Amino acid sequence: MSGQLWRSLKGPAFLVLCFTVLASTGSCHNDPEGDGSQEGSQAMATVELNLDLQRTEIISGEALLLKAIFANTGSDPFELRVGPVSPVVYELRSPEDGQVIAVVSQEDVAGSADSPPLPEWNEEVAPGASEEIEEDPASYVIGGFPPGRYQLVGRASTGAGEVESEPVDLVVSPAKIHHLVSTFCPYEGSMALAFDHTDRSGGVWIFDHDTEREQANAGVFYRRLRALDSGSVDDLALAVKCSSESEGRWVAWIGRQSISAIQSEGSDSLELAKALTLELTDYRLVKPGFQRDDGSALFFVAGIKDGKAVVQPFVAREETLSAGPAVLLGTELPKEIIARRHEDDEGGKLQLVWSGTVDGRSRIFLLECTDEGVALSPQPREIYATDQALRALEMAPLNHPDSSGDWVHALYGPVERKRDGREVAFITYVQIPLSMESGEVLEHEVPMPADPVDAFAISGWEAGDLVILARTGKLLLSATAGSFSEWRPLAEEVGTAGNLQVAATPDGYWAGVFVDPSVGVRYAPDPDAPDRR
């Protein structure tokens, strides 16, 4: 494992190993001169550091939840620093030669250089007693631990001397991801991400996390539940919070002709909504879902019912899922539908947007409905049409005060145009207003990269600039529309990458997020971004 990778990435049975350290409390506390003289009897403190891991096999980017247990098996108490940060320093070593690959600790990531130091506090560990510290050393590395085989060792200083645990074998495997979804939550100022992972036995797990900050890679993923013993999840969606009052995070998935959902917060899973059978065929989830103040979440599923394309609302609440009436789309079933919640003085409504081809032209449609699934108009409204092929379609999920207008963002092309006497290929970035009050359609032409493009991605949140990502062979490139900037390399060795997307916020942050089969989730941040730690 190269140091460069670490710099750039900055249930089952428990395994407990320990290493015993003997120290003389007499010499520690009663021999300030270090001359060997002691007052009173010579008592010995015996300290054991035990690493108690929930799992010794995890996937890349996953949390490594553990307990560091300091046990006093001697006859004298000792002092242990327990705050403001954990006293344990963790080493990841090579199982072949014991070489230290990485050193991580909570102290390395606590606070900032401008913050005043917090006072320390200690606990006295009496003879026969122990002190437990629960933590996650994977969260101290940006993006979590990368794939590899390691030995995990904990070290700490105590009032009875230095203590070190025995090495614990740790295996980090690449995440095998089919679906990856992400959204920015303006009411929390954080990113939410979720994916499904297929383990070696064929079981499918749901993972998710909310970042502590707006950066997409600022955090680790939590293993929520084994959704399927075999097969695959057909689709996955996150719920975005519609206010600051909503708690936790709902994730929904569909598979085997049913929809399920789970609510979680941090490392805790709160509610699991029981699976509900779908009466639709050729189904897919509308993205995202919406989380409400009463703790429930609203998801839409698009599909075919009685030979017609529909969307149907589902409400996840506590342990139940309930279905609402299906809404006719009035067009052929689109491959993907995106959703937005619009709040105004008259209340709230949902805006469903999709693209379809009619009479040989690519068209974008808008259908507005209530939370209960009641359409607010008899037919969808066409809001844009072009002869060019659609490459990407996005919009911000909320008309939050920080959003930059009620716009749909679309990418079309390429088309050939003459420039300086030669044919030049362009793509067209289009901003489409959702209402007449939002303004007129804005079109921005951007020259194509020199090499063939395998995939594009844009964001519904305008991160200051209109960011475009393009995967060309083994390179990931970035550029901006509006005021066009040259295509610049953003990441290398991305030839097999999938699920390409732009994670962006209204205040200027953005990063490329994608799935690399050899690693799992990868991040490619804006190279010009300021340090936001």
Side-chain angles (χ1 to χ4, degrees):
M1 187 67 59
S2 70
Q4 180 62 38
L5 178 57
W6 282 95
R7 284 195 298 273
S8 64
L9 289 178
K10 182 154 181 156
F14 287 58
L15 176 62
V16 179
L17 295 174
C18 67
F19 180 75
T20 300
V21 172
L22 299 180
S24 168
T25 58
S27 63
C28 284
H29 298 294
N30 300 326
D31 186 19
E33 301 301 325
D35 59 4
S37 62
Q38 299 175 10
E39 299 177 6
S41 61
Q42 184 177 3
M44 299 294 290
T46 306
V47 184
E48 294 180 354
L49 172 56
N50 304 326
L51 296 186
D52 188 341
L53 280 65
Q54 283 193 7
R55 304 180 67 90
T56 56
E57 293 190 19
I58 61 174
I59 63 171
S60 51
E62 181 180 357
L64 181 66
L65 302 176
L66 59 77
K67 295 177 183 177
I69 305 172
F70 293 84
N72 187 346
T73 58
S75 57
D76 223 39
F78 68 88
E79 293 285 321
L80 178 67
R81 174 173 64 87
V82 295
V85 296
S86 167
V88 186
V89 175
Y90 295 93
E91 292 182 355
L92 285 136
R93 300 175 181 174
S94 166
E96 286 78 22
D97 56 16
Q99 180 180 354
V100 176
I101 298 170
V103 180
V104 299
S105 69
Q106 188 179 22
E107 190 168 12
D108 291 338
V109 298
S112 66
D114 299 329
S115 302
L118 296 174
E120 295 183 358
W121 63 88
N122 299 333
E123 290 286 345
E124 183 178 86
V125 184
S130 62
E131 182 73 24
E132 295 184 358
I133 296 175
E134 297 183 2
E135 57 182 326
D136 174 14
S139 67
Y140 308 150
V141 179
I142 295 177
F145 293 156
R149 290 183 174 271
Y150 310 100
Q151 287 187 326
L152 181 69
V153 174
R155 295 186 291 104
S157 296
T158 74
E162 298 290 325
V163 63
E164 179 176 302
S165 74
E166 281 283 348
V168 179
D169 289 332
L170 175 66
V171 178
V172 183
S173 302
K176 293 184 65 176
I177 299 171
H178 189 198
H179 303 280
L180 171 68
V181 291
S182 65
T183 185
F184 172 66
C185 294
Y187 288 105
E188 289 190 324
S190 65
M191 290 284 179
L193 297 93
F195 62 78
D196 58 328
H197 160 71
T198 303
D199 64 22
R200 286 179 294 181
S201 67
V204 182
W205 295 81
I206 303 299
F207 285 78
D208 75 342
H209 83 106
D210 276 38
T211 64
E212 295 180 1
R213 304 180 297 276
E214 63 184 15
Q215 292 96 321
N217 59 356
V220 289
F221 288 90
Y222 295 100
R223 186 181 296 253
R224 296 306 181 192
L225 84 164
R226 189 180 172 107
L228 297 172
D229 292 329
S230 62
S232 62
V233 165
D234 296 321
D235 209 353
L236 187 72
L238 281 162
V240 64
K241 296 182 179 182
C242 296
S243 77
S244 57
E245 303 299 321
S246 183
E247 297 182 355
R249 175 78 58 198
W250 282 95
V251 179
W253 64 94
I254 51 179
R256 292 185 177 175
Q257 201 62 42
S258 64
I259 178 172
S260 305
I262 188 170
Q263 185 188 29
S264 59
E265 184 165 17
S267 60
D268 299 322
S269 297
L270 305 179
E271 301 286 353
L272 174 62
K274 296 177 181 178
L276 186 65
T277 300
L278 295 171
E279 297 180 356
L280 308 175
T281 59
D282 198 14
Y283 46 75
R284 69 282 318 260
L285 277 159
V286 175
K287 298 178 184 66
F290 298 93
Q291 202 155 309
R292 305 184 289 193
D293 293 351
D294 63 1
S296 67
L298 174 68
F299 294 95
F300 275 84
V301 178
I304 300 296
K305 186 174 185 178
D306 299 328
K308 297 180 180 179
V310 300
V311 288
Q312 186 171 14
F314 292 84
V315 175
R317 180 181 288 109
E318 295 181 347
E319 297 181 356
T320 64
L321 270 164
S322 57
V327 180
L328 287 173
L329 288 179
T331 66
E332 293 184 357
L333 181 65
K335 180 181 178 181
E336 180 183 27
I337 300 177
I338 55 177
R340 174 186 180 90
R341 181 166 181 81
H342 182 91
E343 294 279 355
D344 55 28
D345 295 338
E346 299 177 0
K349 62 183 176 182
L350 292 169
Q351 297 172 310
L352 306 179
V353 172
W354 66 94
S355 175
T357 302
V358 180
D359 297 330
R361 304 194 80 202
S362 179
R363 304 172 189 269
I364 293 181
F365 298 95
L366 166 66
L367 179 66
E368 297 181 326
C369 61
T370 67
D371 283 357
E372 292 72 30
V374 178
L376 298 177
S377 59
Q379 292 289 330
R381 177 167 62 91
E382 180 183 304
I383 57 175
Y384 187 75
T386 180
D387 294 329
Q388 300 182 40
L390 181 70
R391 299 300 179 189
L393 182 68
E394 297 286 350
M395 68 176 172
L398 302 170
N399 67 324
H400 185 265
D402 289 343
S403 65
S404 48
D406 295 339
W407 300 92
V408 175
H409 298 254
L411 194 66
Y412 290 96
V415 293
E416 299 283 338
R417 302 198 189 282
K418 274 201 170 183
R419 290 292 188 272
D420 300 326
R422 61 188 181 92
E423 293 289 334
V424 179
F426 287 86
I427 50 174
T428 306
Y429 192 116
V430 185
Q431 295 170 269
I432 306 159
L434 286 165
S435 64
M436 298 299 294
E437 294 78 18
S438 299
E440 299 180 350
V441 172
L442 302 176
E443 297 182 344
H444 315 277
E445 287 193 338
V446 176
M448 283 281 288
D451 296 323
V453 176
D454 304 314
F456 285 105
I458 58 175
S459 173
W461 292 104
E462 296 181 17
D465 294 315
L466 305 176
V467 179
I468 308 172
L469 300 185
R471 194 188 76 209
T472 62
K474 294 184 178 181
L475 283 179
L476 180 63
L477 307 177
S478 68
T480 56
S483 56
F484 171 67
S485 63
E486 296 294 328
W487 289 98
R488 297 190 302 168
L490 191 64
E492 299 178 349
E493 301 300 327
V494 299
T496 57
N499 293 273
L500 180 62
Q501 48 204 274
V502 180
T505 71
D507 69 348
Y509 167 83
W510 66 266
V513 183
F514 55 95
V515 175
D516 183 333
S518 66
V519 177
V521 180
R522 277 183 63 184
Y523 309 91
D526 174 9
D528 296 329
D531 188 351
R532 294 171 179 252
R533 288 177 296 178

